[in-house]
Amino acid sequence: MCGIVGYIGDKEAGQVLINGLRRLEYRGYDSAGVSLTNGDELCVVKRPGKVAALSQAVQEEPGSLRQHRVGVAHTRWATHGPPTQVNAHPHLDRSGRIAMVHNGIIENYRDIRAHLEQKGHAFDSETDSEVLAHLIGDYYQGNLLEAVCAALQKVEGTFGIAVICQDEPDQVIAARRGSPIVIGVGKNECVVASDAAAVVAVTQQVIYLDDNDVAIVTPGAVDIRDLNNVPVNREISELEWSDTSAELGGFEHFMLKEIHEQPDSIRNAIRGRMDFDNGTAVLSGLGTTPREISEVQRAIIVGCGTSMNAGMVGEYAFENFADMPTEVEQAAEFRYRNPIIKASDFVLAISQSGETADTLAAVREAIQKGAWVSGICNVVGSTIARETGRGIYLHAGPEISVASTKAFTCQVAVLLMIALKFGRCGRLSCTKGREIAKAIESLPMLVEQVLERNDIIAKEAEKWVETDHAFFIGRGYQFPVALEGALKLKEISYIHAEGYHAAELKHGPIALLESGIPVVALVNEAPGKEKTIGNAHECAARGARIVGLITEGDTETAALMDSVIEIPKCPDYVAPVPMAVALQLLSYHVARLRGCAIDQPRNLAKSVTVE
Ligand code: M6R
């Protein structure tokens, strides 16, 4: 979604800001802008479309602009008003001396706008953000910090903002409520950003703002207050990511790079967390004792999109390894339907970014109701990771492509480890625990074997170029993988794709089948395999083309399919990982052959920070 960068220091601010915006491009956006000041002037350059267009426009500005040492910049993902130049950020106050960039949504902006219009304010854009810029200007009496605090006390909704003022060119003011802000603290310089990806090029020393923090950012120093201007302490932490981890490294797309990183990212996710002697997992991040685990009555897993699909794999593992009644719920639904939650419930929030608005709200609801709440996040220091206070990091490294790949497989690996640990605190035997631990350990190798089949999968993709519709079917552990395979295909190739439980097709979706429509059947060695093969045949009888994801060497099943992709032989509870990797590659090659914008698909954002 929207991206913020602010800079103050001894470098050319315009250059640092544009570089920062480039590193936020992966989040998805439709316009971009920058504002710079040197105290004598405050200039704004905005463009619809890509950062490259903005960069070009900044180059064409008079030379003095390049000397400026302070500024703010933004990539906008339209919510209020279309992605036009006028709706792009930064927005100015009425005087034109204050510029602000904003992520989030000001819910009471209509009331504030009406109030300001009565006072003579006129607005150029349709955005809620411009209203906030005007409100700050309306309060301004020579002290930007005080004006920002006063304005933010009046707004309802969410914000991450960075503000500069021509009359106070020695600072950037940043603040947050519900929308992340991280501040990189370098030598004689600071970067404000909505995402650490925009900070790593400058420094790895960062401060994360909490809700209702306001920061006065000067070259190399940060002073944080609450909205009443009372100082608060926030620690400096070190980013795990290096400057090069967000680069393509020779791959054509970040998605392909991240697919290939999976053996290593899974190794990182499980490193130091397996106890093979005792057949269990060591997960100190959960911050709990075996006795507390044994008192848990129910697990509730919440997440959105791919993270929810991973959660569904987790549901099977919790039930099979730990006899734990488990529910998986779409986070937005969970937050609003007043769920029945007890202190004996274990609520597990899954989020790659750790910033997804609905998952965060679900976490807050569960904490409020007294459950034990943990997170599985990738982004260190993200809001969900901090608010849950305990949980497991994936350590997958930055996931840049909008389509989630390595986060999914690491989430599954972590869920299997948590289920194993819960099982071993209950009735799961040591022998069975060791067997599961060994299977989890084998995941990187299984993925490597699928990656070796890249050429076969690319060949299969050639048959999909003209496809309009596709179906994915599976049972048991492979049912969520069918959902994930369909999600991946639709988001990057724009082919209409649906995932179903194999038994569900006959209850309606089979009416959609026409000659040549591909149906991907996930048929590894698992209970229900023969039934899924039967369901695939029902589709074939209606003209569908059946692509089987089958176990390596299963010639009998292969003979029943129109084409096959083999995955290595493995227990069904770990098979979601190699299966998902095969489907990631299939989606990638189909989207590539169709000429799609793979890393930044239309209409999508990497991190969905609004409802
Ligand atoms: O950052 P999160 O894991 O909370 O994100 C959840 C979804 O928005 C995300 O998984 C989305 O579905 C991806 N685009 C899927 O590839």
Side-chain angles (χ1 to χ4, degrees):
M1 302 225 122
C2 304
I4 285 177
V5 194
Y7 179 78
I8 187 160
D10 49 13
K11 300 197 179 102
E12 283 181 22
Q15 202 50 51
V16 179
L17 292 170
I18 297 281
N19 287 344
L21 289 185
R22 286 205 177 101
R23 288 168 179 272
L24 298 185
E25 285 194 290
Y26 77 96
R27 295 169 65 99
Y29 70 103
D30 37 45
S31 56
V34 59
S35 178
L36 301 158
T37 188
N38 61 356
D40 295 330
E41 60 172 354
L42 183 143
C43 58
V44 180
V45 183
K46 310 199 266 193
R47 287 293 178 273
K50 294 291 173 193
V51 171
L54 176 71
S55 174
Q56 179 68 31
V58 170
Q59 300 286 328
E60 288 161 8
E61 286 287 315
S64 67
L65 191 73
R66 292 191 212 114
Q67 315 301 320
H68 296 1
R69 303 282 184 247
V70 57
V72 291
H74 193 257
T75 46
R76 174 173 184 256
W77 190 84
T79 57
H80 294 69
T84 57
Q85 185 155 319
V86 78
N87 285 335
H89 299 214
H91 288 290
L92 299 179
D93 78 323
R94 179 159 65 163
S95 73
R97 303 173 78 81
I98 293 174
M100 184 205 72
V101 291
H102 167 229
N103 287 359
I105 291 180
I106 306 300
E107 286 167 2
N108 59 339
Y109 82 102
R110 284 192 192 83
D111 293 345
I112 298 172
R113 183 171 171 141
H115 164 73
L116 291 173
E117 278 170 344
Q118 274 177 4
K119 294 176 80 176
H121 288 249
F123 294 89
D124 294 328
S125 78
E126 297 162 65
T127 65
D128 54 332
S129 307
E130 189 187 11
V131 173
L132 178 55
H134 275 242
L135 188 63
I136 292 170
D138 200 58
Y139 279 112
Y140 187 69
Q141 290 182 336
N143 185 317
L144 185 61
L145 173 71
E146 287 175 7
V148 168
C149 287
L152 293 182
Q153 284 178 3
K154 295 286 174 206
V155 301
E156 290 163 17
T158 55
F159 54 78
I161 58 170
V163 195
I164 55 170
C165 176
Q166 181 179 331
D167 302 323
E168 300 175 61
D170 49 358
Q171 63 179 10
V172 176
I173 301 291
R176 77 158 269 172
R177 182 191 295 156
S179 214
I181 291 288
V182 55
I183 303 172
V185 188
K187 194 166 177 264
N188 300 325
E189 62 184 344
C190 279
V191 191
V192 174
S194 52
D195 180 327
V199 173
V200 279
V202 175
T203 177
Q204 285 177 288
Q205 306 292 309
V206 295
I207 298 172
Y208 296 97
L209 293 193
D210 277 350
D211 276 354
N212 297 310
D213 284 355
V214 185
I216 308 150
V217 184
T218 52
V222 183
D223 176 3
I224 304 175
R225 315 282 173 94
D226 66 16
L227 286 182
N228 296 313
N229 208 348
V230 177
V232 290
N233 247 334
R234 300 285 173 242
E235 280 174 13
I236 294 193
S237 42
E238 180 109 8
L239 285 176
E240 273 192 356
W241 304 350
S242 75
D243 192 15
T244 53
S245 37
E247 287 173 3
L248 279 167
F251 285 91
E252 194 176 341
H253 295 98
F254 280 108
M255 184 180 178
L256 189 63
K257 178 186 179 213
E258 288 157 11
I259 289 172
H260 280 84
E261 280 173 351
Q262 289 177 107
D264 283 341
S265 58
I266 298 170
R267 264 182 212 109
N268 287 340
I270 60 182
R271 178 169 296 125
R273 289 171 166 168
M274 302 304 305
D275 173 353
F276 295 103
D277 288 343
N278 293 303
T280 187
V282 184
L283 301 169
S284 50
L286 286 179
T288 192
T289 62
R291 187 190 176 118
E292 284 166 330
I293 289 175
S294 68
E295 284 165 2
V296 172
Q297 298 292 314
R298 178 176 66 152
I300 303 172
I301 302 175
V302 294
C304 301
T306 288
S307 294
M308 183 177 67
N309 292 340
M312 288 177 68
V313 178
E315 178 183 23
Y316 287 89
F318 270 79
E319 290 179 355
N320 289 340
F321 301 173
D323 299 323
M324 175 71 64
T326 305
E327 293 165 22
V328 180
E329 193 150 355
Q330 210 284 338
E333 193 54 26
F334 179 88
R335 67 182 286 196
Y336 282 121
R337 72 173 176 86
N338 195 18
I340 299 163
I341 301 176
K342 306 213 168 110
S344 57
D345 286 336
F346 169 51
V347 175
L348 191 52
I350 309 182
S351 174
Q352 186 283 132
S353 62
E355 303 293 348
T356 299
D358 285 321
T359 311
L360 176 59
V363 162
R364 289 176 176 162
E365 181 67 16
I367 291 173
Q368 163 76 22
K369 288 185 185 303
W372 161 25
V373 185
S374 276
I376 298 180
C377 296
N378 190 35
V379 178
V380 176
S382 56
T383 310
I384 292 173
R386 287 184 297 134
E387 292 206 9
T388 50
R390 47 189 177 179
I392 311 291
Y393 279 121
L394 301 179
H395 299 305
E399 191 179 67
I400 304 293
S401 177
V402 164
S404 189
T405 54
K406 60 180 178 173
F408 177 83
T409 48
C410 288
Q411 285 163 346
V412 170
V414 166
L415 283 160
L416 291 173
M417 287 191 287
I418 300 175
L420 172 61
K421 184 174 172 78
F422 272 54
R424 290 291 291 125
C425 294
R427 289 189 32 77
L428 190 76
S429 71
C430 185
T431 311
K432 185 70 189 162
R434 284 181 184 149
E435 187 187 309
I436 295 169
K438 280 275 163 216
I440 295 171
E441 192 196 22
S442 74
L443 283 171
M445 184 195 70
L446 296 174
V447 173
E448 274 159 2
Q449 290 174 21
V450 175
L451 294 177
E452 283 164 13
R453 288 170 192 150
N454 177 55
D455 292 350
I456 296 167
I457 297 171
K459 200 90 195 123
E460 169 62 32
E462 288 173 12
K463 301 177 200 156
W464 289 61
V465 180
E466 302 299 327
T467 297
D468 292 324
H469 306 279
F471 293 91
F472 293 73
I473 58 171
R475 283 167 192 263
Y477 282 98
Q478 307 318 322
F479 168 41
V481 184
L483 301 180
E484 177 60 10
L487 175 61
K488 219 81 303 167
L489 184 70
K490 73 182 109 182
E491 69 181 331
I492 62 164
S493 76
Y494 314 142
I495 292 173
H496 170 230
E498 300 296 342
Y500 287 105
H501 190 282
E504 189 62 21
L505 277 187
K506 283 203 286 288
H507 298 283
I510 202 164
L512 295 169
L513 289 184
E514 286 173 6
S515 173
I517 287 187
V519 173
V520 179
L522 310 184
V523 278
N524 58 321
E525 296 309 316
K529 174 185 163 190
E530 294 306 324
K531 291 187 195 305
T532 304
I533 292 174
N535 299 133
H537 274 215
E538 290 154 9
C539 299
R542 282 145 188 94
R545 188 172 70 79
I546 312 301
V547 182
L549 251 67
I550 64 166
T551 306
E552 182 178 30
D554 183 358
T555 49
E556 207 177 306
T557 305
L560 302 171
M561 304 288 153
D562 292 303
S563 53
V564 293
I565 298 169
E566 290 186 329
I567 66 143
K569 195 166 175 19
C570 58
D572 64 338
Y573 52 85
V574 288
V577 168
M579 286 274 195
V581 174
L583 296 180
Q584 292 163 2
L585 282 172
L586 179 64
S587 295
Y588 172 80
H589 288 297
V590 172
R592 187 174 170 278
L593 291 169
R594 285 165 67 96
C596 299
I598 291 177
D599 287 332
Q600 293 165 40
R602 68 186 180 205
N603 303 339
L604 294 181
K606 181 64 183 164
S607 170
V608 181
T609 51
V610 294
E611 286 185 48

